[in-house]
Amino acid sequence: MALIVQKYGGSSVGTIDRIRNVARKLIETKNAGNKVMAVISAMSGITDKLIALAHEVMENPPERELDVLLATGEQQSIALLCMAITDMGYKAMSFTGQQAGVCTYGSHTRGRIANIEPSRVIQALEDGYIVVCAGFQGVTSEGVIHTLGRGGSDLSAIAMAAAVNADLCQIFTDVDGVYTCDPRVVKDARKIPVLSYEEMLEMASSGSKVMQARSVEFAKKFGVVFEVRNSMNNNPGTIVQEETTAMESLAVRGVSIERNQARVTVSGITAPVPYTALILSALSEAEINVDMIVANTAHDGMARQSFTMNMNDLGAAQAALKGLLPQLGEKARLETESGLAKLSVVGVGMRSHTGVAATMFRSLADAGIATGMIATSEIRISTTVEAGDIEQAARVVHTAFHLGQENA
Ligand code: ASP
Ligand code: MG
C-alpha cells in the first residue's frame, strides 16, 4: 500500500464546491488502495483578508499575534475538507501544525521547520483515516505558533512527505505543471514533463510563481521527488527530481519573467573600497532583498553601483541609502528607475552548451529590445528590460531556443 501526500493550494480549496472536488480526489486516491494525506492552504483570499484585518487594528501588529491569526486560515480549511470527506461517507481527521508534530524555530511569520514528529498522523493513516494537515504552520518547542512565510503550505507538504517517507508527493495547483514560459504570455509554451530541482529553484526565484522557492530547496535537500499538477483535471504534471543526463541535451528549458522591478544607482562614489559592504549592509538592515548587482569605476575615478529589487522595496531602499550618501563621497547621489522587468533563461544544459547568452541577446537585439543589467548563475542568464517590452522579449527568446516545438 503506497502512502501519497497531496498538497492543495488556496485556489483549489477556494469555494465549498472546490473543497468537495478535493474531497473526491482524496477519496479516489484512497480507493485506489493508498494511504492518503492532504496538506492544504487556507481558502484563497483568506490569508490576505486576515492580514488586512490585523492592519485595520494597528499599523504594525505584533508578529506573534499575526501568526496566531494567520494560522486560523488553514484551521478553517482543514476542518471544512474533513467535513466534506465525512459527508461522502469516508473517515477523515484534521491536524493543525501542532497536532501533526511540526516543530519550528526562527522568526515569526517566516518560521523554519526544525523537525516533524509524525506519530499521530501515522497512527491515523494506519487506522484508515484520510489525514488532512494544515499547511503553513507549526509550533516551537515552547508551543509558540509560527507561520512559514507566504506560500508556505508547499514547504509543509514537502516536509511532511519527507517525514512520513511518502511514496509520492503531488502538489496540486491551478495550472497543469511548470511551463516553458507563462502560457498567458507565450501562446506556444509547453508543459515541461521533468525538471531538476535546480532548474525549478532558479525558475521559482526568477518569477515562475508555481511554487515557493524554499520548499524546492527543502525537497532537494531531502531528495523528495514531487509532481506539480492541476487539481481541476487529470492531466499528468511536471515531475521535479534529481538531475539526469537527458536534461542536459537542451541548453535552455524555460524562460521566466518577473515584473515590477526597479533599479537604484548610487553614483559619484569616492569613498574607499568597502563602500559595497556599507551599501549592502544598509539595504539588508532595511530587510530589502537585492537581486542583481553591478559595480563599475568610471574614468573620472568615481564609482557607481546599481542594484535591482522589487518595486515595492524602492521607497525603503531610497530611505535606507539616503542617510549613507555623505559617507560615500561629496558628490554621491541616488538615481532610481522603476518600470523594469526581468527576463531569465534557465537550463542545466547551459553548463555544457556554449553560445546561450549570444543567442539570447541576439534575438532581443534583432527584435529591437534594449537590455539593461545582466546577471548569471551556472544555469541561468537574466537581464532587465523595460516593463513594456517584457512580453515580446519572452516570445522572441522562447522562439530562439525552440521551446515551443514538439521535439524541443
Ligand atoms: N495561506 C498561506 C498564504 O496564503 C500559505 C499558502 O497558501 O501556502 O500564503
Ligand atoms: Mg501557493
Side-chain angles (χ1 to χ4, degrees), residues 36-369:
V36 185
M37 181 196 301
V39 176
I40 66 170
S41 298
M43 295 171 77
S44 56
I46 291 289
T47 309
D48 287 336
K49 215 177 260 168
L50 292 171
I51 293 174
L53 271 179
H55 286 104
E56 246 179 65
V57 180
M58 65 184 296
E59 197 179 333
N60 279 314
E63 291 196 317
R64 181 191 185 282
E65 305 312 329
L66 208 50
D67 270 349
V68 171
L69 181 68
L70 295 192
T72 64
E74 272 70 12
Q75 202 165 321
Q76 296 172 11
S77 57
I78 55 171
L80 291 170
L81 178 55
C82 284
M83 290 172 194
I85 298 168
T86 310
D87 189 45
M88 294 176 189
Y90 286 79
K91 294 204 296 184
M93 197 184 283
S94 66
F95 289 81
T96 63
Q98 179 167 31
Q99 292 169 329
V102 180
C103 185
T104 56
Y105 68 101
S107 333
H108 277 295
T109 73
R110 43 188 177 276
R112 295 181 163 264
I113 295 179
N115 63 283
I116 297 181
E117 205 292 284
S119 54
R120 284 201 200 114
V121 164
I122 288 174
Q123 188 58 53
L125 289 166
E126 295 287 327
D127 293 343
Y129 286 91
I130 293 177
V131 162
V132 179
C133 296
F136 183 54
Q137 56 178 267
V139 292
T140 66
S141 48
E142 281 88 44
V144 176
I145 295 178
H146 268 162
T147 59
L148 306 179
R150 296 308 303 268
S153 296
D154 289 335
L155 179 62
S156 305
I158 300 281
M160 265 299 177
V164 300
N165 202 5
D167 298 288
L168 185 60
C169 179
Q170 297 176 312
I171 307 290
F172 283 91
T173 176
D174 52 6
V175 290
D176 274 13
V178 182
Y179 278 74
T180 50
C181 193
D182 184 340
R184 285 167 302 188
V185 173
V186 177
K187 288 283 165 292
D188 64 339
R190 285 178 315 113
K191 183 169 61 195
I192 307 172
V194 190
L195 264 182
S196 71
Y197 293 122
E198 275 175 76
E199 289 169 328
M200 182 73 182
L201 250 179
E202 290 280 13
M203 290 176 79
S205 45
S206 61
S208 301
K209 293 282 176 282
V210 180
M211 255 182 100
Q212 189 209 36
R214 258 174 75 195
S215 64
V216 184
E217 264 167 44
F218 196 99
K220 176 172 156 60
K221 193 162 155 201
F222 292 94
V224 178
V225 175
F226 62 90
E227 180 187 18
V228 179
R229 56 188 291 162
N230 199 326
S231 63
M232 303 307 283
N233 62 40
N234 284 319
N235 298 340
T238 299
I239 306 266
V240 184
Q241 59 168 52
E242 215 45 85
E243 187 178 326
T244 63
T245 41
M247 292 175 186
E248 284 184 53
S249 62
L250 282 180
V252 168
R253 312 197 64 223
V255 177
S256 303
I257 61 187
E258 189 159 18
R259 300 172 204 260
N260 298 321
Q261 300 295 294
R263 171 167 52 203
V264 173
T265 301
V266 188
S267 62
I269 303 173
T270 49
V273 165
Y275 61 78
T276 306
L278 287 177
I279 294 174
L280 288 177
S281 306
L283 292 172
S284 124
E285 263 160 48
E287 296 199 6
I288 292 161
N289 240 332
V290 170
D291 185 10
M292 303 184 189
I293 304 175
V294 171
N296 53 50
T297 307
H299 51 79
D300 55 7
M302 285 191 280
R304 310 161 51 87
Q305 192 136 54
S306 299
F307 311 88
T308 64
M309 60 196 65
N310 192 286
M311 210 127 93
N312 298 335
D313 286 335
L314 185 57
Q318 278 174 293
L321 293 174
K322 241 188 202 129
L324 197 65
L325 289 178
Q327 286 181 63
L328 297 174
E330 254 168 49
K331 296 211 166 119
R333 58 194 188 89
L334 277 185
E335 295 156 33
T336 60
E337 193 185 350
S338 53
L340 295 176
K342 185 172 77 167
L343 179 82
S344 307
V345 296
V346 173
V348 288
M350 246 176 244
R351 296 199 196 105
S352 48
H353 287 74
T354 54
V356 177
T359 303
M360 170 172 172
F361 287 96
R362 169 54 52 205
S363 66
L364 290 168
D366 288 348
I369 296 169

